Amino acid sequence: MWQALWGKQQGYVYNREAVYAPVSYDVWFKDEEEARKHFYLLKQLHDTVPKKGHVYSPCIFPWYSVSISKCDGVNGMAMIAYMLQDNELIDIVCQEIPYLPVQERENYLCLLLHEPKTQTQRDALTQALSDKSPDTRSKAFKLIEKMELKEDDYTVLQGLLKYKYADLRVNVLKLLEKRDDGGVYRAIETLVSDKKEEMRLGGIDLVARLKKDDKRQKLYKKSCALLANIQNP
């Protein structure tokens, strides 16, 4: 399991090349039913713990206290979902990844979404492009690059241009450029007519990128006509 999260260990160093090998649930549980029971117990814990966590004080002894956070449940849920390779469980967990600490998010993102199987998983991976952590954003982009994107995926990507993260904007534009000429033109048309300035700027930037592509000069000239109607770019 740790190789999947952190990569192979060489001495005291992890090489970060994750190995997504099957992990048997019988290491921790007597059977699959017990594993699933624990998954939903952890989900119940996650759902009931306040966003800021909870401190039990005193606990057992007057001088002793115990704290619990929402991420404590997510960690265990992710492990069980990976062990069972159950897409229904993975769908549940991948929507809770934002609750994990910054230093852990990219690892669990890769663990569960290195090969997204459902639309929920694809959406979660795409949304991770706008994560607050630059490392998570970078990892999400590398995973998405390997995907065969659908029209719905491109629609979600366009919406991410409302954010100002420089790396996010560059990565989203790179992905939008992969569409055929008709798809790119429709994206520009939608973006430059949006009410939000960041979205309109995204459309302008996409046109500027076309200018540098010798094979798309016809599309570039056609797209330039759309810029004439932009108000306060």
Side-chain angles (χ1 to χ4, degrees):
M1 177 62 77
W2 297 115
Q3 287 190 13
L5 278 174
W6 303 100
K8 292 181 180 179
Q9 186 175 7
Q10 298 173 333
Y12 293 100
V13 180
Y14 288 95
N15 67 11
R16 307 297 292 173
E17 294 181 5
V19 180
Y20 301 113
V23 177
S24 177
Y25 54 78
D26 60 14
V27 175
W28 290 344
F29 309 104
K30 67 179 182 180
D31 53 32
E32 183 176 331
E33 182 180 356
E34 184 179 65
R36 290 181 181 279
K37 179 179 179 180
H38 277 76
F39 178 92
Y40 285 105
L41 285 172
L42 289 169
K43 184 180 185 304
Q44 183 179 11
L45 172 67
H46 170 74
D47 292 343
T48 54
V49 171
K51 188 174 182 179
K52 293 184 178 180
H54 186 76
V55 177
Y56 296 91
S57 180
C59 181
I60 304 177
F61 303 108
W63 61 87
Y64 188 69
S65 64
V66 174
S67 63
I68 189 169
S69 66
K70 293 185 81 69
C71 74
D72 291 331
V74 179
N75 287 332
M77 290 164 63
M79 295 290 195
I80 296 172
Y82 180 79
M83 288 178 181
L84 297 178
Q85 287 296 296
D86 185 314
N87 283 315
E88 182 179 345
L89 301 187
I90 293 174
D91 282 355
I92 293 173
V93 181
C94 69
Q95 298 179 74
E96 309 299 337
I97 289 177
Y99 285 106
L100 292 169
V102 171
Q103 65 273 19
E104 295 181 14
R105 283 204 291 267
E106 63 171 298
N107 298 311
Y108 282 97
L109 184 80
C110 294
L111 178 72
L112 298 176
L113 303 178
H114 58 277
E115 290 183 355
K117 299 292 195 307
T118 69
Q119 191 59 48
T120 297
Q121 294 169 28
R122 295 171 72 92
D123 290 346
L125 183 55
T126 304
Q127 288 296 333
L129 280 172
S130 61
D131 192 270
K132 293 181 179 180
S133 164
D135 290 336
T136 301
R137 296 198 299 268
S138 175
K139 187 65 69 173
F141 174 67
K142 291 177 181 177
L143 293 174
I144 292 172
E145 273 192 310
K146 301 175 183 178
M147 291 168 48
E148 184 176 343
L149 297 174
K150 303 176 182 178
E151 191 66 27
D152 289 345
D153 299 321
Y154 285 119
T155 300
V156 176
L157 286 170
Q158 285 176 209
L160 296 182
L161 288 171
K162 66 184 178 181
Y163 296 106
K164 296 183 178 181
Y165 299 123
D167 60 313
L168 176 153
R169 298 181 68 83
V170 170
N171 289 338
V172 168
L173 291 173
K174 286 180 180 178
L175 293 170
L176 291 178
E177 279 183 315
K178 291 184 175 183
R179 304 178 77 176
D180 59 25
D181 286 2
V184 173
Y185 183 82
R186 290 193 298 275
I188 295 171
E189 188 175 31
T190 301
L191 289 167
V192 299
S193 61
D194 198 276
K195 295 180 180 180
K196 296 181 180 179
E197 181 180 2
E198 290 79 10
M199 298 286 279
R200 298 197 299 273
L201 288 173
I204 295 173
D205 289 339
L206 191 51
V207 173
R209 293 176 72 91
L210 290 176
K211 184 178 182 180
K212 301 175 183 178
D213 189 341
D214 294 337
K215 297 180 180 180
R216 283 185 146 174
Q217 289 306 296
K218 184 177 180 180
L219 176 60
Y220 164 67
K221 292 176 182 179
K222 181 181 178 182
S223 300
C224 283
L226 296 171
L227 303 183
N229 298 321
I230 295 180
Q231 299 293 324
N232 299 321

